């Protein structure tokens, strides 16, 4: 596990600490404008040594030794500290953190302090689990996905680690990880937001009217097979009075899965065109808006694509909900 604590980001200074089971080392992150009180954890459950820091990114042995007394329980004490469990894609997680930082620091406000926990082994476990939901695409890949119990244990350990680091709110900016939200949240001493709840609340606040009078407002859900099978988006929508509309078998077979196939061979234009067709098939069913529960799919469409105006992103709703939580303290 490596830990980065940025005490003076403008000068690129950092602290390093060690504890009984935590190996902490530093490297600069020029991607994120990390606030002085924030922490980035990179955990390796295999306990293997991670690659050494690049030249210019580490501290001396003397500096490390002087900080050995620090304990994880005393890292952050701000009441609005957010703990983030990284998901399948590091890029997606960092994109979420950028939004959280940018949106929380508007109007001259200080950005939210956060603890980000990223584990490459967990990333791989989640990816293999999701790939396993497309047997026709990955049947040639001889890789056995982790058992759900193993993934749950890994996620729960991350949540516990974030609490120990001082997180007062837990976030999982990963769709497939929400399959086990209840199991991961069980026993938590702090609240943990669910992306489905966040998106439902924003839809309720929008006060949209159904396209067909006398019927409940219809909301489409576009996501991977694994996320759709987990059912948490449609369950939360329907328990709050919305009607969830999913891609039918033909749409999945002829547009969604081929779009994923196109992505795997780097045909992004073809994948984007197929996704547009799939979204249009949902929208013609008197659907007001589509929950786009896939980062890969979202990234296929440019920001100015008209179809995106008909879509809502649970990741964005999660970030906004976290900011509202902090503002309510």
């Amino acid at each position: 596990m490596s830990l980065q604590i940025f005490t003076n980001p403008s000068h690129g200074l950092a602290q390093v600490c060690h504890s009984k089971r935590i190996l902490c080392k530093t490297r600069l992150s020029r991607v994120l404008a990390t606030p002085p009180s924030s922490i980035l954890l990179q955990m390796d459950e295999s306990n293997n040594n991670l690659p050494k820091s690049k030249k210019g990114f580490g501290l001396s042995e003397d500096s490390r030794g002087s900080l050995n007394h620090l304990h994880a329980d005393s890292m952050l004490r701000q009441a609005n500290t957010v703990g983030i469990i990284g998901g399948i894609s590091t890029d997606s997680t960092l994109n979420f953190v950028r939004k959280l930082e940018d949106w929380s620091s508007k109007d001259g406000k200080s950005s939210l302090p956060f603890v980000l926990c990223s584990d490459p082994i967990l990333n791989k476990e989640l990816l293999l689990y999701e790939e396993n939901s497309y047997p026709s695409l990955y049947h040639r890949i001889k890789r056995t996905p982790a058992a759900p119990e193993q993934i749950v244990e890994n996620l729960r350990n991350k949540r516990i680690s974030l609490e120990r680091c001082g997180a007062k709110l837990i976030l999982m900016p990963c769709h497939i990880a929400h399959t086990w939200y209840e199991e991961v949240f069980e026993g938590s001493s702090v609240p943990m937001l669910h992306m489905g709840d966040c998106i439902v609340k924003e839809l309720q606040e929008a006060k949209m009217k159904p396209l067909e009078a006398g019927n409940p407002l219809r909301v489409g859900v576009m996501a991977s097979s694994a996320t759709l099978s987990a059912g948490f988006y449609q369950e939360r929508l329907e328990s709050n009075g919305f009607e969830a509309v999913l891609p039918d078998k033909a749409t999945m077979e002829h547009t969604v899965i081929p779009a994923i196939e196109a992505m795997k061979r780097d045909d992004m234009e073809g994948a984007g065109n197929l996704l547009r067709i799939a979204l249009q098939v949902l929208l013609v069913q008197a659907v007001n808006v589509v929950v786009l529960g896939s980062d890969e799919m979202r990234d296929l469409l440019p920001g100015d694509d008209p179809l995106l105006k008909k879509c809502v992103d649970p990741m964005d709703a999660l970030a906004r909900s976290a900011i509202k939580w902090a503002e309510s303290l």
Side-chain angles (χ1 to χ4, degrees):
M1 180 193 295
S2 63
L3 167 65
Q4 305 168 359
I5 309 178
F6 292 82
T7 59
N8 191 341
S10 64
H11 293 86
L13 300 181
Q15 292 182 347
V16 186
C17 70
H18 296 266
S19 64
K20 184 176 180 181
R21 294 187 57 193
I22 304 177
L23 170 63
C24 306
K25 57 186 177 180
T26 63
R27 62 183 177 183
L28 296 181
S29 173
R30 302 194 184 281
V31 178
L32 294 171
T34 312
S37 56
S38 294
I39 300 174
L40 291 88
L41 297 171
Q42 185 174 45
M43 304 180 68
D44 187 350
E45 290 297 331
S46 65
N47 292 324
N48 293 327
N49 290 331
L50 295 177
K52 294 182 179 180
S53 301
K54 296 181 180 180
K55 183 178 181 181
F57 286 78
L59 292 182
S60 67
E61 291 299 324
D62 291 339
S63 298
R64 290 176 180 166
S66 67
L67 293 163
N68 282 349
H69 66 280
L70 291 180
H71 192 275
D73 290 333
S74 64
M75 289 178 183
L76 292 179
R77 294 190 180 278
Q78 292 92 327
N80 62 341
T81 299
V82 174
I84 304 168
I85 302 175
I88 291 178
S89 165
T90 302
D91 287 342
S92 176
T93 300
L94 293 178
N95 186 51
F96 173 81
V97 173
R98 289 187 194 100
K99 290 181 178 180
L100 187 66
E101 288 292 289
D102 290 344
W103 297 349
S104 65
S105 59
K106 288 183 178 179
D107 302 323
K109 299 179 181 177
S110 298
S111 56
L112 291 181
F114 66 87
V115 188
L116 170 59
C117 182
S118 177
D119 177 5
I121 292 179
L122 175 61
N123 298 353
K124 185 180 294 185
E125 289 175 350
L126 293 170
L127 177 61
L128 289 179
Y129 185 89
E130 185 167 69
E131 288 181 348
N132 197 50
S133 68
Y134 296 106
S136 61
L137 296 184
Y138 300 99
H139 66 280
R140 294 190 181 92
I141 301 177
K142 297 180 180 180
R143 292 184 293 182
T144 303
E149 296 80 9
Q150 181 178 333
I151 298 175
V152 169
E153 182 180 4
N154 203 340
L155 287 167
R156 188 182 291 125
N157 287 339
K158 302 298 179 293
R159 188 262 297 165
I160 293 171
S161 296
L162 291 172
E163 290 182 51
R164 289 185 60 231
C165 287
K168 302 302 187 293
L169 178 73
I170 305 296
L171 309 176
M172 287 195 302
C174 173
H175 301 283
I176 194 61
H178 278 69
T179 301
W180 307 281
Y181 170 86
E182 285 76 15
E183 294 94 324
V184 177
F185 179 55
E186 183 180 1
S188 178
S189 62
V190 300
M192 179 172 169
L193 296 183
H194 190 294
M195 289 200 291
D197 294 333
C198 296
I199 204 72
V200 163
K201 186 174 182 180
E202 290 197 350
L203 289 173
Q204 291 172 330
E205 292 172 349
K207 299 186 182 301
M208 292 182 287
K209 295 182 179 180
L211 297 181
E212 294 181 346
N215 292 326
L217 191 142
R218 311 190 85 195
V219 178
V221 182
M222 180 64 66
S224 69
S225 290
T227 299
L228 292 175
S229 297
F232 51 84
Y233 282 126
Q234 47 267 46
E235 288 171 4
R236 277 167 166 75
L237 286 167
E238 292 175 355
S239 65
N240 285 277
F242 299 99
E243 181 181 349
V245 181
L246 309 183
D248 58 21
K249 183 178 179 181
T251 301
M252 291 297 293
E253 291 180 350
H254 299 297
T255 58
V256 178
I257 293 178
I260 294 171
E261 290 177 329
M263 279 192 285
K264 297 306 176 183
R265 61 174 183 268
D266 293 327
D267 178 11
M268 297 306 174
E269 182 178 356
N273 290 334
L274 287 166
L275 177 60
R276 289 185 180 93
I277 295 172
L279 290 173
Q280 289 166 346
V281 170
L282 283 179
L283 290 169
V284 297
Q285 300 177 61
V287 164
N288 285 65
V289 67
V290 176
V291 174
L292 198 51
S294 168
D295 296 327
E296 283 187 319
M297 294 180 186
R298 178 198 60 198
D299 293 340
L300 285 174
L301 302 180
D304 59 352
D305 193 297
L307 276 176
L308 279 183
K309 296 180 180 179
K310 290 288 187 178
C311 297
V312 289
D313 186 346
M315 294 281 202
D316 291 353
L318 181 66
R320 287 189 289 265
S321 295
I323 294 168
K324 289 180 180 179
W325 165 85
E327 291 173 344
S328 69
L329 297 177

